Amino acid sequence: MSSKTKIIIDTDPGIDDALALFMAMADPNTDIVGITAVNGNVDVNKAEYNIRRLCEFAWHTDIPVYKGCDKPLKRSKINAEWIHGNDGLAGFDFGTPSYQGEEENAVDFIIKSLMKSSEKEISILAIGPLTNIATVFLKEPKTASKIRELIIMGGAFCEDGPRGNATPYAEFNMLADPHAAEIVFNMAPQISVIPMEVGMQAVADKDFIEKMRDINTRCACAGADLLETAAKILKDCPGNEPVNQIGTSLYDPCAVGCLIRPALFSGRYGSVQVNTDANSEKFGMTSFEEGSKRNCLVMHKVDRESFKKMLLDYLAALP
Ligand code: BDR
Ligand code: CA
């Protein structure tokens, strides 16, 4: 039996999703059993297409790709094309994939994979809105306890009050489907959460992007281009005020880092609540409670230098 960690990645590429996928593909101890697309940064059709483009670009056409939910559970659709670009990948030419996506729906694929797996065999990395994962739990509640590890990128829990990137209160993945997030935070027995403030500790600044470019492989150069475009957009964007940073936060790659090298991250146990009141200015806001329910390990710190070095090393291992 393979000693690799089996994972399913649920994603909406997305610039930082692209880097996260490259990182996971480069890890010799990770077996990606499937990648599932969800509506988020871009519409699910673009997300699914982008996943195949990225896999092919990194010579991983062996990974099956599945299309999932095309809209949030209850709220209306939002996207983040203002930062990720109309195509979701900053207009970078990743080419046209020559391989097809799978016919099976992502939700059914995840349910089938978990239900036929042995206990705690497959981990799930959710780096987009949680619509697919919530739908999995609603359709087959037994799946929740079958997951080995569930890692989510989402939420904002700053000490001086949440500072979101989608609104002053809400982080994008939470705002894009708060009802789904609420279901997942309630039903999963154990979750590791990478919130915004952790991703913001690992910022791809000019110096880091140059180091990435110096690797001089096509995946590293593509990654550098994506991050550079995002950094330029963020710099001039009035919407950047709540974040106020120079460079691009490596949100989704941090979630992969947490799966591969959890020792680089530290956090605290408690439960997470999500505001699902669409009429509130705090719609999509997450809050943390240190109570008796302690199913969430919400990270608050990353060893940024080790993490960034790890990302560079991983990119160097790809074509
Ligand atoms: C999250 O939202 C998306 O725009 C990114 O891909 C990341 O998953 C950060 O808030
Ligand atoms: Ca994402």
Side-chain angles (χ1 to χ4, degrees):
M1 203 175 115
S2 156
S3 59
K4 292 184 176 188
T5 306
K6 289 188 179 177
I7 63 163
I8 294 172
I9 306 178
D10 191 60
T11 177
D12 57 341
I15 290 173
D16 56 332
D17 299 78
L19 268 302
L21 291 179
F22 283 163
M23 202 175 167
M25 285 188 246
D27 182 34
N29 299 316
T30 295
D31 174 11
I32 307 174
V33 297
I35 305 180
T36 52
V38 68
N39 173 72
N41 289 323
V42 285
D43 135 311
V44 72
N45 294 311
K46 289 186 195 172
E48 190 269 350
Y49 181 72
N50 286 344
I51 296 168
R52 284 185 288 124
R53 293 165 88 196
L54 292 162
C55 287
E56 188 147 339
F57 197 79
W59 298 352
H60 266 290
T61 51
D62 53 315
I63 302 173
V65 179
Y66 301 82
K67 195 187 292 179
C69 299
D70 64 355
K71 57 178 189 305
L73 294 186
K74 294 185 182 169
R75 65 152 302 153
S76 54
K77 277 189 189 191
I78 57 168
N79 67 44
E81 290 183 7
W82 68 273
I83 165 89
H84 298 275
N86 194 24
D87 68 345
L89 293 175
F92 186 90
D93 184 11
F94 281 103
T96 306
S98 63
Y99 86 116
Q100 298 297 310
E102 303 294 317
E103 288 284 318
E104 190 177 20
N105 178 274
V107 168
D108 295 331
F109 163 71
I110 298 173
I111 293 175
K112 196 182 75 193
S113 305
L114 287 170
M115 293 313 290
K116 72 171 194 218
S117 70
S118 32
E119 215 60 23
K120 312 284 179 202
E121 188 185 347
I122 300 178
S123 294
I124 294 194
L125 193 78
I127 54 177
L130 291 167
T131 322
N132 284 348
I133 309 301
T135 309
V136 165
F137 287 180
L138 292 175
K139 251 183 128 173
E140 181 43 274
K142 287 192 199 120
T143 49
S145 59
K146 294 278 279 183
I147 300 171
R148 177 187 168 126
E149 215 186 329
L150 174 57
I151 299 181
I152 289 173
M153 190 283 128
F157 306 84
C158 290
E159 300 248 304
D160 53 348
R163 281 182 297 145
N165 55 354
T167 71
Y169 298 100
E171 179 279 328
F172 176 80
N173 289 340
M174 298 292 107
L175 184 68
D177 198 341
H179 304 96
E182 184 182 47
I183 289 166
V184 173
F185 284 124
N186 280 334
M187 286 183 71
Q190 189 61 56
I191 311 173
S192 297
V193 183
I194 297 288
M196 265 195 69
E197 56 274 21
V198 170
M200 286 171 63
Q201 289 165 37
V203 171
D205 53 18
K206 203 163 170 277
D207 182 49
F208 181 76
I209 293 172
E210 278 322 304
K211 283 190 183 138
M212 197 178 270
R213 207 176 287 290
D214 286 347
I215 295 172
N216 208 16
T217 58
R218 67 180 194 153
C219 287
C221 289
D225 274 6
L226 295 184
L227 292 171
E228 205 164 67
T229 308
K232 276 189 197 134
I233 294 169
L234 278 168
K235 186 170 160 280
D236 302 324
C237 177
N240 186 29
E241 273 148 28
V243 175
N244 196 22
Q245 66 180 31
I246 300 178
T248 313
S249 298
L250 297 165
Y251 298 119
D252 293 343
C254 276
V256 180
C258 181
L259 177 91
I260 299 173
R261 295 236 323 253
L264 297 183
F265 298 80
S266 49
R268 53 196 177 139
Y269 283 98
S271 65
V272 171
Q273 287 76 40
V274 187
N275 185 313
T276 55
D277 178 1
N279 296 317
S280 161
E281 60 175 358
K282 297 186 176 168
F283 190 38
M285 183 178 114
T286 42
S287 44
F288 176 83
E289 207 175 277
E290 256 171 357
S292 50
K293 190 172 180 208
R294 293 162 64 84
N295 67 326
C296 296
L297 173 58
V298 178
M299 304 302 181
H300 54 70
K301 200 166 180 343
V302 56
D303 172 347
R304 76 179 86 194
E305 292 315 320
S306 305
F307 170 73
K308 284 162 81 171
K309 177 168 184 323
M310 177 186 175
L311 176 53
L312 293 175
D313 291 345
Y314 273 61
L315 283 171
L318 288 175

